[in-house]
Amino acid sequence: MTLRPRGRAIVPAAAAALLLAACGTSADPAPPERPRTTAQPVRLPEPLLDRPVDTARLSPLELAAVGRAELIERAACMRRYGFDDRVRFTRSLYATLPDRSYGVMTDEDARRHGYHMAPDVDPRVPANQKKQTDLVTSRPPRTAADRRVRALVLYGTASDTLTEADARRADGPQPLREAEVIGTYKDRPVREGGCAEEARDRIVGDGGSERNPVAMRIYLNGFAQAEKDPKVRRAVKAWSSCMARKGYAYDSPLDAGTDLPTAREPAPDAREKTVARTDMACKHTSRLIEVWSAAEARHERRAMAGEKTALAAETARKKRMLERALKVLATTEDAAS
C-alpha cells in the first residue's frame, strides 16, 4: 500500500507501505454474518409515546438499527480487503434504552424491574456497540504493525480514535463529498475514513451524521418547556401527594427511586419494586403521563410550525435512512432478532 501524508491521521508513505506489507497474507477467512435465503421484513415496534416531532427525530431504537446496519456494512467492506471481519450479535436489537421521560413508564417494568432497566438493555444511545454487537475477527492483529494496518483500512487513520472524516460530519443533511483516496491495499483503493465512513455513507446516504438536529432541538426544548407548563406542574403535585399518602416523599417522578439502597445495585429488591408499582399507580390516578406528554406535544407542534421546510427534509432523510438500514438487517440472519 502506498499512502500520501495527510496531516496527523496518516503515517508517512514509506512507513505505511512497510506496515501494510506485514498484513499482506492471511489464512482462509472466517464465515461472515449469515445471509438469509429470503429477506424477512424488519418492523420496529411503535414507541411508547406518540411525539409529533418523531416523524423526523430518530428514536434510540431507530438509531440502534442504523448503527447495527452500519456495523454489518463495515464488516462487509473489511472482507472486500481480505480481512475476515464479521458481526457477532450478542443481544437483541430490541434491547435498547426504553423511554424513561417521566421515570418508570409501564406497569410491567415496575413489577418486574422496579426502577432498574431490564437485564438485557444497553443504556447507551445508540445501543449498537459492545453490548449488542461486536466486530470480531478470527485473526486478530498480532503485532503493532498489524494493528496499524488494520486501523488504516478500517478508519483511514493509524489510530482507532475519532477520525478526521468523522469529525467533519455535521448533524443533519450534508452534501456527500467524494472521499479522498489515501492509498491502496491489495490493489484496492483505501478512502479517507476507511470502511467505517464507507459504511456510514451507505446507510446514512449523505455526508451528515445519523442525527437530525432540528427535530432533536425541538424534542429537547419541548421537554424543557413542558416541565414548566402549569398543567404538568399540577399533575406532578397530584402525583407527589399520592406518593406521600403511601409513605414516599418525592417532589418529582424523575427523583423517584434514586434514594433507595438498591438504586446502584445490579438488581432491584422487593421494596424497590413496591415503590415502583406505587409510583405507577399514582401516575395513573394523577394522569401524569397523559398530561405531561400532551404538554410536550403542544410545545413541539408550536415549534414545528416555524420549521416546516427543515423538518420536511429531515423527515424524508429519516425515512430513507431507515429503509436502507432495515433492508440490511432484513437480509442478515439474527441481525434483528
Side-chain angles (χ1 to χ4, degrees), residues 50-87:
D50 184 16
R51 291 187 171 91
V53 78
D54 280 354
T55 55
R57 182 187 78 104
L58 280 86
S59 71
L61 179 57
E62 289 165 339
L63 285 170
V66 168
R68 181 172 285 213
E70 286 183 17
L71 204 58
I72 293 169
E73 288 292 321
R74 189 183 300 184
C77 174
M78 291 294 284
R79 292 195 297 273
R80 290 194 289 273
Y81 286 96
F83 295 88
D84 78 332
D85 291 47
R86 56 191 172 83
V87 178

PDB file of all heavy atoms in Angstrom, residues 50-87:
ATOM      1  N   ASP A  50     -46.400   8.951  21.540  1.00  0.00           N
ATOM      2  CA  ASP A  50     -46.566   9.415  20.168  1.00  0.00           C
ATOM      3  C   ASP A  50     -46.226  10.897  20.109  1.00  0.00           C
ATOM      4  O   ASP A  50     -47.078  11.765  20.310  1.00  0.00           O
ATOM      5  CB  ASP A  50     -47.998   9.168  19.697  1.00  0.00           C
ATOM      6  CG  ASP A  50     -48.194   9.554  18.240  1.00  0.00           C
ATOM      7  OD1 ASP A  50     -47.175   9.709  17.535  1.00  0.00           O
ATOM      8  OD2 ASP A  50     -49.353   9.708  17.816  1.00  0.00           O
ATOM      9  N   ARG A  51     -44.951  11.199  19.826  1.00  0.00           N
ATOM     10  CA  ARG A  51     -44.498  12.589  19.778  1.00  0.00           C
ATOM     11  C   ARG A  51     -44.592  13.110  18.352  1.00  0.00           C
ATOM     12  O   ARG A  51     -44.105  12.458  17.419  1.00  0.00           O
ATOM     13  CB  ARG A  51     -43.054  12.702  20.264  1.00  0.00           C
ATOM     14  CG  ARG A  51     -42.866  12.439  21.751  1.00  0.00           C
ATOM     15  CD  ARG A  51     -41.440  12.754  22.159  1.00  0.00           C
ATOM     16  NE  ARG A  51     -41.273  12.711  23.593  1.00  0.00           N
ATOM     17  CZ  ARG A  51     -40.910  11.627  24.273  1.00  0.00           C
ATOM     18  NH1 ARG A  51     -40.690  10.497  23.635  1.00  0.00           N
ATOM     19  NH2 ARG A  51     -40.773  11.674  25.589  1.00  0.00           N
ATOM     20  N   PRO A  52     -45.147  14.284  18.146  1.00  0.00           N
ATOM     21  CA  PRO A  52     -45.243  14.829  16.785  1.00  0.00           C
ATOM     22  C   PRO A  52     -43.899  14.925  16.079  1.00  0.00           C
ATOM     23  O   PRO A  52     -43.787  14.624  14.885  1.00  0.00           O
ATOM     24  CB  PRO A  52     -45.858  16.212  16.999  1.00  0.00           C
ATOM     25  CG  PRO A  52     -46.608  16.101  18.280  1.00  0.00           C
ATOM     26  CD  PRO A  52     -45.824  15.161  19.131  1.00  0.00           C
ATOM     27  N   VAL A  53     -42.867  15.319  16.813  1.00  0.00           N
ATOM     28  CA  VAL A  53     -41.571  15.557  16.186  1.00  0.00           C
ATOM     29  C   VAL A  53     -40.876  14.253  15.803  1.00  0.00           C
ATOM     30  O   VAL A  53     -39.897  14.266  15.050  1.00  0.00           O
ATOM     31  CB  VAL A  53     -40.670  16.397  17.120  1.00  0.00           C
ATOM     32  CG1 VAL A  53     -40.060  15.536  18.232  1.00  0.00           C
ATOM     33  CG2 VAL A  53     -39.584  17.124  16.329  1.00  0.00           C
ATOM     34  N   ASP A  54     -41.393  13.116  16.257  1.00  0.00           N
ATOM     35  CA  ASP A  54     -40.739  11.847  15.949  1.00  0.00           C
ATOM     36  C   ASP A  54     -40.905  11.438  14.492  1.00  0.00           C
ATOM     37  O   ASP A  54     -40.326  10.438  14.062  1.00  0.00           O
ATOM     38  CB  ASP A  54     -41.244  10.744  16.870  1.00  0.00           C
ATOM     39  CG  ASP A  54     -40.563  10.798  18.232  1.00  0.00           C
ATOM     40  OD1 ASP A  54     -39.633  11.611  18.402  1.00  0.00           O
ATOM     41  OD2 ASP A  54     -40.960  10.028  19.131  1.00  0.00           O
ATOM     42  N   THR A  55     -41.681  12.191  13.726  1.00  0.00           N
ATOM     43  CA  THR A  55     -41.682  11.952  12.281  1.00  0.00           C
ATOM     44  C   THR A  55     -40.309  12.241  11.689  1.00  0.00           C
ATOM     45  O   THR A  55     -39.931  11.657  10.677  1.00  0.00           O
ATOM     46  CB  THR A  55     -42.726  12.837  11.578  1.00  0.00           C
ATOM     47  OG1 THR A  55     -42.486  14.206  11.913  1.00  0.00           O
ATOM     48  CG2 THR A  55     -44.146  12.445  12.000  1.00  0.00           C
ATOM     49  N   ALA A  56     -39.547  13.125  12.338  1.00  0.00           N
ATOM     50  CA  ALA A  56     -38.223  13.500  11.847  1.00  0.00           C
ATOM     51  C   ALA A  56     -37.091  13.083  12.784  1.00  0.00           C
ATOM     52  O   ALA A  56     -35.951  12.921  12.346  1.00  0.00           O
ATOM     53  CB  ALA A  56     -38.149  15.012  11.616  1.00  0.00           C
ATOM     54  N   ARG A  57     -37.385  12.928  14.068  1.00  0.00           N
ATOM     55  CA  ARG A  57     -36.350  12.544  15.040  1.00  0.00           C
ATOM     56  C   ARG A  57     -36.184  11.032  15.049  1.00  0.00           C
ATOM     57  O   ARG A  57     -37.146  10.287  15.082  1.00  0.00           O
ATOM     58  CB  ARG A  57     -36.746  13.013  16.442  1.00  0.00           C
ATOM     59  CG  ARG A  57     -35.699  12.711  17.519  1.00  0.00           C
ATOM     60  CD  ARG A  57     -36.232  13.055  18.894  1.00  0.00           C
ATOM     61  NE  ARG A  57     -37.144  12.060  19.414  1.00  0.00           N
ATOM     62  CZ  ARG A  57     -36.845  11.167  20.361  1.00  0.00           C
ATOM     63  NH1 ARG A  57     -35.638  11.139  20.890  1.00  0.00           N
ATOM     64  NH2 ARG A  57     -37.757  10.309  20.790  1.00  0.00           N
ATOM     65  N   LEU A  58     -34.930  10.589  15.062  1.00  0.00           N
ATOM     66  CA  LEU A  58     -34.673   9.164  15.192  1.00  0.00           C
ATOM     67  C   LEU A  58     -34.674   8.790  16.662  1.00  0.00           C
ATOM     68  O   LEU A  58     -33.947   9.385  17.467  1.00  0.00           O
ATOM     69  CB  LEU A  58     -33.344   8.776  14.547  1.00  0.00           C
ATOM     70  CG  LEU A  58     -33.377   8.613  13.028  1.00  0.00           C
ATOM     71  CD1 LEU A  58     -33.147   9.951  12.344  1.00  0.00           C
ATOM     72  CD2 LEU A  58     -32.348   7.595  12.563  1.00  0.00           C
ATOM     73  N   SER A  59     -35.491   7.822  17.017  1.00  0.00           N
ATOM     74  CA  SER A  59     -35.580   7.353  18.385  1.00  0.00           C
ATOM     75  C   SER A  59     -34.334   6.529  18.726  1.00  0.00           C
ATOM     76  O   SER A  59     -33.584   6.115  17.831  1.00  0.00           O
ATOM     77  CB  SER A  59     -36.822   6.486  18.567  1.00  0.00           C
ATOM     78  OG  SER A  59     -36.644   5.248  17.887  1.00  0.00           O
ATOM     79  N   PRO A  60     -34.096   6.248  20.018  1.00  0.00           N
ATOM     80  CA  PRO A  60     -32.963   5.383  20.370  1.00  0.00           C
ATOM     81  C   PRO A  60     -32.993   4.038  19.639  1.00  0.00           C
ATOM     82  O   PRO A  60     -31.952   3.553  19.192  1.00  0.00           O
ATOM     83  CB  PRO A  60     -33.118   5.214  21.882  1.00  0.00           C
ATOM     84  CG  PRO A  60     -33.759   6.489  22.323  1.00  0.00           C
ATOM     85  CD  PRO A  60     -34.721   6.834  21.219  1.00  0.00           C
ATOM     86  N   LEU A  61     -34.164   3.415  19.513  1.00  0.00           N
ATOM     87  CA  LEU A  61     -34.245   2.140  18.815  1.00  0.00           C
ATOM     88  C   LEU A  61     -33.921   2.298  17.333  1.00  0.00           C
ATOM     89  O   LEU A  61     -33.227   1.464  16.732  1.00  0.00           O
ATOM     90  CB  LEU A  61     -35.637   1.531  18.990  1.00  0.00           C
ATOM     91  CG  LEU A  61     -35.874   0.193  18.277  1.00  0.00           C
ATOM     92  CD1 LEU A  61     -34.862  -0.852  18.722  1.00  0.00           C
ATOM     93  CD2 LEU A  61     -37.292  -0.291  18.519  1.00  0.00           C
ATOM     94  N   GLU A  62     -34.389   3.375  16.724  1.00  0.00           N
ATOM     95  CA  GLU A  62     -34.083   3.608  15.315  1.00  0.00           C
ATOM     96  C   GLU A  62     -32.598   3.882  15.107  1.00  0.00           C
ATOM     97  O   GLU A  62     -31.996   3.401  14.138  1.00  0.00           O
ATOM     98  CB  GLU A  62     -34.932   4.768  14.788  1.00  0.00           C
ATOM     99  CG  GLU A  62     -36.404   4.402  14.661  1.00  0.00           C
ATOM    100  CD  GLU A  62     -37.316   5.601  14.483  1.00  0.00           C
ATOM    101  OE1 GLU A  62     -36.912   6.730  14.846  1.00  0.00           O
ATOM    102  OE2 GLU A  62     -38.443   5.406  13.999  1.00  0.00           O
ATOM    103  N   LEU A  63     -31.992   4.636  16.019  1.00  0.00           N
ATOM    104  CA  LEU A  63     -30.550   4.860  15.945  1.00  0.00           C
ATOM    105  C   LEU A  63     -29.785   3.554  16.123  1.00  0.00           C
ATOM    106  O   LEU A  63     -28.749   3.330  15.491  1.00  0.00           O
ATOM    107  CB  LEU A  63     -30.112   5.874  16.998  1.00  0.00           C
ATOM    108  CG  LEU A  63     -30.442   7.334  16.704  1.00  0.00           C
ATOM    109  CD1 LEU A  63     -30.176   8.196  17.936  1.00  0.00           C
ATOM    110  CD2 LEU A  63     -29.639   7.848  15.518  1.00  0.00           C
ATOM    111  N   ALA A  64     -30.304   2.669  16.985  1.00  0.00           N
ATOM    112  CA  ALA A  64     -29.669   1.370  17.168  1.00  0.00           C
ATOM    113  C   ALA A  64     -29.729   0.549  15.891  1.00  0.00           C
ATOM    114  O   ALA A  64     -28.756  -0.118  15.519  1.00  0.00           O
ATOM    115  CB  ALA A  64     -30.342   0.614  18.315  1.00  0.00           C
ATOM    116  N   ALA A  65     -30.864   0.586  15.204  1.00  0.00           N
ATOM    117  CA  ALA A  65     -30.992  -0.143  13.944  1.00  0.00           C
ATOM    118  C   ALA A  65     -30.026   0.403  12.901  1.00  0.00           C
ATOM    119  O   ALA A  65     -29.362  -0.363  12.176  1.00  0.00           O
ATOM    120  CB  ALA A  65     -32.432  -0.052  13.434  1.00  0.00           C
ATOM    121  N   VAL A  66     -29.912   1.724  12.814  1.00  0.00           N
ATOM    122  CA  VAL A  66     -28.982   2.346  11.879  1.00  0.00           C
ATOM    123  C   VAL A  66     -27.541   1.958  12.223  1.00  0.00           C
ATOM    124  O   VAL A  66     -26.747   1.580  11.351  1.00  0.00           O
ATOM    125  CB  VAL A  66     -29.146   3.879  11.883  1.00  0.00           C
ATOM    126  CG1 VAL A  66     -28.000   4.573  11.158  1.00  0.00           C
ATOM    127  CG2 VAL A  66     -30.481   4.265  11.247  1.00  0.00           C
ATOM    128  N   GLY A  67     -27.202   2.033  13.499  1.00  0.00           N
ATOM    129  CA  GLY A  67     -25.847   1.699  13.918  1.00  0.00           C
ATOM    130  C   GLY A  67     -25.495   0.250  13.650  1.00  0.00           C
ATOM    131  O   GLY A  67     -24.374  -0.073  13.232  1.00  0.00           O
ATOM    132  N   ARG A  68     -26.461  -0.639  13.881  1.00  0.00           N
ATOM    133  CA  ARG A  68     -26.220  -2.062  13.639  1.00  0.00           C
ATOM    134  C   ARG A  68     -26.017  -2.321  12.140  1.00  0.00           C
ATOM    135  O   ARG A  68     -25.135  -3.082  11.746  1.00  0.00           O
ATOM    136  CB  ARG A  68     -27.387  -2.884  14.179  1.00  0.00           C
ATOM    137  CG  ARG A  68     -27.220  -4.377  13.999  1.00  0.00           C
ATOM    138  CD  ARG A  68     -28.305  -5.164  14.711  1.00  0.00           C
ATOM    139  NE  ARG A  68     -28.080  -5.190  16.145  1.00  0.00           N
ATOM    140  CZ  ARG A  68     -28.398  -6.215  16.934  1.00  0.00           C
ATOM    141  NH1 ARG A  68     -28.967  -7.290  16.421  1.00  0.00           N
ATOM    142  NH2 ARG A  68     -28.164  -6.169  18.220  1.00  0.00           N
ATOM    143  N   ALA A  69     -26.814  -1.676  11.307  1.00  0.00           N
ATOM    144  CA  ALA A  69     -26.653  -1.840   9.859  1.00  0.00           C
ATOM    145  C   ALA A  69     -25.297  -1.303   9.403  1.00  0.00           C
ATOM    146  O   ALA A  69     -24.643  -1.906   8.537  1.00  0.00           O
ATOM    147  CB  ALA A  69     -27.787  -1.121   9.130  1.00  0.00           C
ATOM    148  N   GLU A  70     -24.870  -0.179   9.965  1.00  0.00           N
ATOM    149  CA  GLU A  70     -23.554   0.360   9.624  1.00  0.00           C
ATOM    150  C   GLU A  70     -22.456  -0.632   9.979  1.00  0.00           C
ATOM    151  O   GLU A  70     -21.488  -0.809   9.226  1.00  0.00           O
ATOM    152  CB  GLU A  70     -23.315   1.685  10.349  1.00  0.00           C
ATOM    153  CG  GLU A  70     -24.089   2.860   9.788  1.00  0.00           C
ATOM    154  CD  GLU A  70     -23.761   4.153  10.505  1.00  0.00           C
ATOM    155  OE1 GLU A  70     -22.732   4.208  11.205  1.00  0.00           O
ATOM    156  OE2 GLU A  70     -24.539   5.118  10.362  1.00  0.00           O
ATOM    157  N   LEU A  71     -22.585  -1.299  11.118  1.00  0.00           N
ATOM    158  CA  LEU A  71     -21.560  -2.247  11.537  1.00  0.00           C
ATOM    159  C   LEU A  71     -21.501  -3.445  10.593  1.00  0.00           C
ATOM    160  O   LEU A  71     -20.426  -3.943  10.268  1.00  0.00           O
ATOM    161  CB  LEU A  71     -21.842  -2.705  12.973  1.00  0.00           C
ATOM    162  CG  LEU A  71     -20.654  -3.229  13.775  1.00  0.00           C
ATOM    163  CD1 LEU A  71     -19.558  -2.177  13.863  1.00  0.00           C
ATOM    164  CD2 LEU A  71     -21.090  -3.648  15.170  1.00  0.00           C
ATOM    165  N   ILE A  72     -22.661  -3.912  10.132  1.00  0.00           N
ATOM    166  CA  ILE A  72     -22.698  -5.008   9.162  1.00  0.00           C
ATOM    167  C   ILE A  72     -22.017  -4.582   7.866  1.00  0.00           C
ATOM    168  O   ILE A  72     -21.224  -5.334   7.277  1.00  0.00           O
ATOM    169  CB  ILE A  72     -24.155  -5.439   8.905  1.00  0.00           C
ATOM    170  CG1 ILE A  72     -24.746  -6.078  10.178  1.00  0.00           C
ATOM    171  CG2 ILE A  72     -24.230  -6.415   7.738  1.00  0.00           C
ATOM    172  CD1 ILE A  72     -26.246  -6.282  10.111  1.00  0.00           C
ATOM    173  N   GLU A  73     -22.312  -3.367   7.399  1.00  0.00           N
ATOM    174  CA  GLU A  73     -21.680  -2.862   6.183  1.00  0.00           C
ATOM    175  C   GLU A  73     -20.180  -2.661   6.383  1.00  0.00           C
ATOM    176  O   GLU A  73     -19.380  -2.871   5.455  1.00  0.00           O
ATOM    177  CB  GLU A  73     -22.337  -1.549   5.767  1.00  0.00           C
ATOM    178  CG  GLU A  73     -23.734  -1.709   5.202  1.00  0.00           C
ATOM    179  CD  GLU A  73     -23.735  -2.411   3.865  1.00  0.00           C
ATOM    180  OE1 GLU A  73     -22.821  -2.152   3.050  1.00  0.00           O
ATOM    181  OE2 GLU A  73     -24.638  -3.236   3.638  1.00  0.00           O
ATOM    182  N   ARG A  74     -19.791  -2.268   7.568  1.00  0.00           N
ATOM    183  CA  ARG A  74     -18.366  -2.070   7.860  1.00  0.00           C
ATOM    184  C   ARG A  74     -17.615  -3.396   7.752  1.00  0.00           C
ATOM    185  O   ARG A  74     -16.527  -3.474   7.162  1.00  0.00           O
ATOM    186  CB  ARG A  74     -18.196  -1.472   9.259  1.00  0.00           C
ATOM    187  CG  ARG A  74     -16.796  -1.024   9.582  1.00  0.00           C
ATOM    188  CD  ARG A  74     -16.696  -0.518  11.008  1.00  0.00           C
ATOM    189  NE  ARG A  74     -17.571   0.612  11.292  1.00  0.00           N
ATOM    190  CZ  ARG A  74     -17.591   1.262  12.448  1.00  0.00           C
ATOM    191  NH1 ARG A  74     -16.786   0.868  13.439  1.00  0.00           N
ATOM    192  NH2 ARG A  74     -18.408   2.277  12.629  1.00  0.00           N
ATOM    193  N   ALA A  75     -18.202  -4.454   8.314  1.00  0.00           N
ATOM    194  CA  ALA A  75     -17.575  -5.768   8.242  1.00  0.00           C
ATOM    195  C   ALA A  75     -17.483  -6.249   6.793  1.00  0.00           C
ATOM    196  O   ALA A  75     -16.465  -6.819   6.371  1.00  0.00           O
ATOM    197  CB  ALA A  75     -18.369  -6.766   9.087  1.00  0.00           C
ATOM    198  N   ALA A  76     -18.543  -6.028   6.018  1.00  0.00           N
ATOM    199  CA  ALA A  76     -18.531  -6.435   4.614  1.00  0.00           C
ATOM    200  C   ALA A  76     -17.435  -5.706   3.844  1.00  0.00           C
ATOM    201  O   ALA A  76     -16.754  -6.295   2.983  1.00  0.00           O
ATOM    202  CB  ALA A  76     -19.893  -6.173   3.985  1.00  0.00           C
ATOM    203  N   CYS A  77     -17.255  -4.432   4.133  1.00  0.00           N
ATOM    204  CA  CYS A  77     -16.199  -3.654   3.490  1.00  0.00           C
ATOM    205  C   CYS A  77     -14.824  -4.224   3.832  1.00  0.00           C
ATOM    206  O   CYS A  77     -13.970  -4.397   2.953  1.00  0.00           O
ATOM    207  CB  CYS A  77     -16.296  -2.190   3.931  1.00  0.00           C
ATOM    208  SG  CYS A  77     -14.950  -1.129   3.355  1.00  0.00           S
ATOM    209  N   MET A  78     -14.598  -4.567   5.097  1.00  0.00           N
ATOM    210  CA  MET A  78     -13.309  -5.125   5.501  1.00  0.00           C
ATOM    211  C   MET A  78     -13.043  -6.450   4.789  1.00  0.00           C
ATOM    212  O   MET A  78     -11.900  -6.742   4.395  1.00  0.00           O
ATOM    213  CB  MET A  78     -13.267  -5.308   7.010  1.00  0.00           C
ATOM    214  CG  MET A  78     -13.226  -4.010   7.801  1.00  0.00           C
ATOM    215  SD  MET A  78     -11.701  -3.062   7.537  1.00  0.00           S
ATOM    216  CE  MET A  78     -10.542  -4.020   8.530  1.00  0.00           C
ATOM    217  N   ARG A  79     -14.076  -7.263   4.587  1.00  0.00           N
ATOM    218  CA  ARG A  79     -13.883  -8.539   3.898  1.00  0.00           C
ATOM    219  C   ARG A  79     -13.477  -8.324   2.444  1.00  0.00           C
ATOM    220  O   ARG A  79     -12.756  -9.143   1.870  1.00  0.00           O
ATOM    221  CB  ARG A  79     -15.153  -9.389   3.995  1.00  0.00           C
ATOM    222  CG  ARG A  79     -15.450  -9.868   5.412  1.00  0.00           C
ATOM    223  CD  ARG A  79     -16.471 -10.987   5.421  1.00  0.00           C
ATOM    224  NE  ARG A  79     -17.770 -10.573   4.914  1.00  0.00           N
ATOM    225  CZ  ARG A  79     -18.727 -10.024   5.643  1.00  0.00           C
ATOM    226  NH1 ARG A  79     -18.530  -9.795   6.928  1.00  0.00           N
ATOM    227  NH2 ARG A  79     -19.890  -9.688   5.102  1.00  0.00           N
ATOM    228  N   ARG A  80     -13.919  -7.228   1.853  1.00  0.00           N
ATOM    229  CA  ARG A  80     -13.510  -6.950   0.472  1.00  0.00           C
ATOM    230  C   ARG A  80     -12.010  -6.675   0.374  1.00  0.00           C
ATOM    231  O   ARG A  80     -11.425  -6.785  -0.708  1.00  0.00           O
ATOM    232  CB  ARG A  80     -14.311  -5.769  -0.091  1.00  0.00           C
ATOM    233  CG  ARG A  80     -15.771  -6.099  -0.335  1.00  0.00           C
ATOM    234  CD  ARG A  80     -16.445  -5.056  -1.199  1.00  0.00           C
ATOM    235  NE  ARG A  80     -16.638  -3.792  -0.516  1.00  0.00           N
ATOM    236  CZ  ARG A  80     -17.699  -3.495   0.245  1.00  0.00           C
ATOM    237  NH1 ARG A  80     -18.655  -4.404   0.422  1.00  0.00           N
ATOM    238  NH2 ARG A  80     -17.804  -2.307   0.821  1.00  0.00           N
ATOM    239  N   TYR A  81     -11.384  -6.314   1.490  1.00  0.00           N
ATOM    240  CA  TYR A  81      -9.938  -6.098   1.518  1.00  0.00           C
ATOM    241  C   TYR A  81      -9.178  -7.341   1.980  1.00  0.00           C
ATOM    242  O   TYR A  81      -7.969  -7.283   2.178  1.00  0.00           O
ATOM    243  CB  TYR A  81      -9.592  -4.928   2.441  1.00  0.00           C
ATOM    244  CG  TYR A  81      -9.937  -3.576   1.854  1.00  0.00           C
ATOM    245  CD1 TYR A  81     -11.136  -2.952   2.169  1.00  0.00           C
ATOM    246  CD2 TYR A  81      -9.062  -2.942   0.979  1.00  0.00           C
ATOM    247  CE1 TYR A  81     -11.459  -1.709   1.639  1.00  0.00           C
ATOM    248  CE2 TYR A  81      -9.378  -1.708   0.435  1.00  0.00           C
ATOM    249  CZ  TYR A  81     -10.582  -1.097   0.768  1.00  0.00           C
ATOM    250  OH  TYR A  81     -10.893   0.127   0.220  1.00  0.00           O
ATOM    251  N   GLY A  82      -9.896  -8.455   2.186  1.00  0.00           N
ATOM    252  CA  GLY A  82      -9.224  -9.695   2.558  1.00  0.00           C
ATOM    253  C   GLY A  82      -9.193  -9.977   4.039  1.00  0.00           C
ATOM    254  O   GLY A  82      -8.654 -11.009   4.458  1.00  0.00           O
ATOM    255  N   PHE A  83      -9.748  -9.075   4.864  1.00  0.00           N
ATOM    256  CA  PHE A  83      -9.863  -9.365   6.289  1.00  0.00           C
ATOM    257  C   PHE A  83     -11.064 -10.294   6.493  1.00  0.00           C
ATOM    258  O   PHE A  83     -11.839 -10.540   5.568  1.00  0.00           O
ATOM    259  CB  PHE A  83     -10.038  -8.070   7.081  1.00  0.00           C
ATOM    260  CG  PHE A  83      -8.841  -7.156   7.011  1.00  0.00           C
ATOM    261  CD1 PHE A  83      -8.711  -6.229   5.981  1.00  0.00           C
ATOM    262  CD2 PHE A  83      -7.837  -7.225   7.963  1.00  0.00           C
ATOM    263  CE1 PHE A  83      -7.610  -5.396   5.900  1.00  0.00           C
ATOM    264  CE2 PHE A  83      -6.734  -6.384   7.897  1.00  0.00           C
ATOM    265  CZ  PHE A  83      -6.616  -5.467   6.861  1.00  0.00           C
ATOM    266  N   ASP A  84     -11.230 -10.819   7.697  1.00  0.00           N
ATOM    267  CA  ASP A  84     -12.344 -11.753   7.907  1.00  0.00           C
ATOM    268  C   ASP A  84     -13.343 -11.228   8.935  1.00  0.00           C
ATOM    269  O   ASP A  84     -13.994 -11.996   9.637  1.00  0.00           O
ATOM    270  CB  ASP A  84     -11.818 -13.139   8.309  1.00  0.00           C
ATOM    271  CG  ASP A  84     -11.397 -13.205   9.769  1.00  0.00           C
ATOM    272  OD1 ASP A  84     -10.995 -12.148  10.311  1.00  0.00           O
ATOM    273  OD2 ASP A  84     -11.479 -14.284  10.364  1.00  0.00           O
ATOM    274  N   ASP A  85     -13.484  -9.914   9.010  1.00  0.00           N
ATOM    275  CA  ASP A  85     -14.377  -9.313   9.993  1.00  0.00           C
ATOM    276  C   ASP A  85     -15.820  -9.782   9.804  1.00  0.00           C
ATOM    277  O   ASP A  85     -16.282  -9.990   8.689  1.00  0.00           O
ATOM    278  CB  ASP A  85     -14.341  -7.785   9.883  1.00  0.00           C
ATOM    279  CG  ASP A  85     -13.026  -7.211  10.342  1.00  0.00           C
ATOM    280  OD1 ASP A  85     -11.981  -7.745   9.920  1.00  0.00           O
ATOM    281  OD2 ASP A  85     -13.034  -6.239  11.098  1.00  0.00           O
ATOM    282  N   ARG A  86     -16.510  -9.939  10.897  1.00  0.00           N
ATOM    283  CA  ARG A  86     -17.933 -10.256  10.889  1.00  0.00           C
ATOM    284  C   ARG A  86     -18.554  -9.641  12.139  1.00  0.00           C
ATOM    285  O   ARG A  86     -17.846  -9.256  13.073  1.00  0.00           O
ATOM    286  CB  ARG A  86     -18.177 -11.768  10.856  1.00  0.00           C
ATOM    287  CG  ARG A  86     -17.514 -12.526  11.990  1.00  0.00           C
ATOM    288  CD  ARG A  86     -17.550 -14.027  11.778  1.00  0.00           C
ATOM    289  NE  ARG A  86     -16.753 -14.731  12.757  1.00  0.00           N
ATOM    290  CZ  ARG A  86     -17.172 -15.046  13.974  1.00  0.00           C
ATOM    291  NH1 ARG A  86     -18.405 -14.701  14.352  1.00  0.00           N
ATOM    292  NH2 ARG A  86     -16.402 -15.682  14.814  1.00  0.00           N
ATOM    293  N   VAL A  87     -19.846  -9.561  12.162  1.00  0.00           N
ATOM    294  CA  VAL A  87     -20.549  -9.001  13.309  1.00  0.00           C
ATOM    295  C   VAL A  87     -21.088 -10.143  14.157  1.00  0.00           C
ATOM    296  O   VAL A  87     -21.748 -11.052  13.649  1.00  0.00           O
ATOM    297  CB  VAL A  87     -21.708  -8.085  12.856  1.00  0.00           C
ATOM    298  CG1 VAL A  87     -22.457  -7.539  14.066  1.00  0.00           C
ATOM    299  CG2 VAL A  87     -21.165  -6.940  12.022  1.00  0.00           C
TER     300      VAL A  87
END
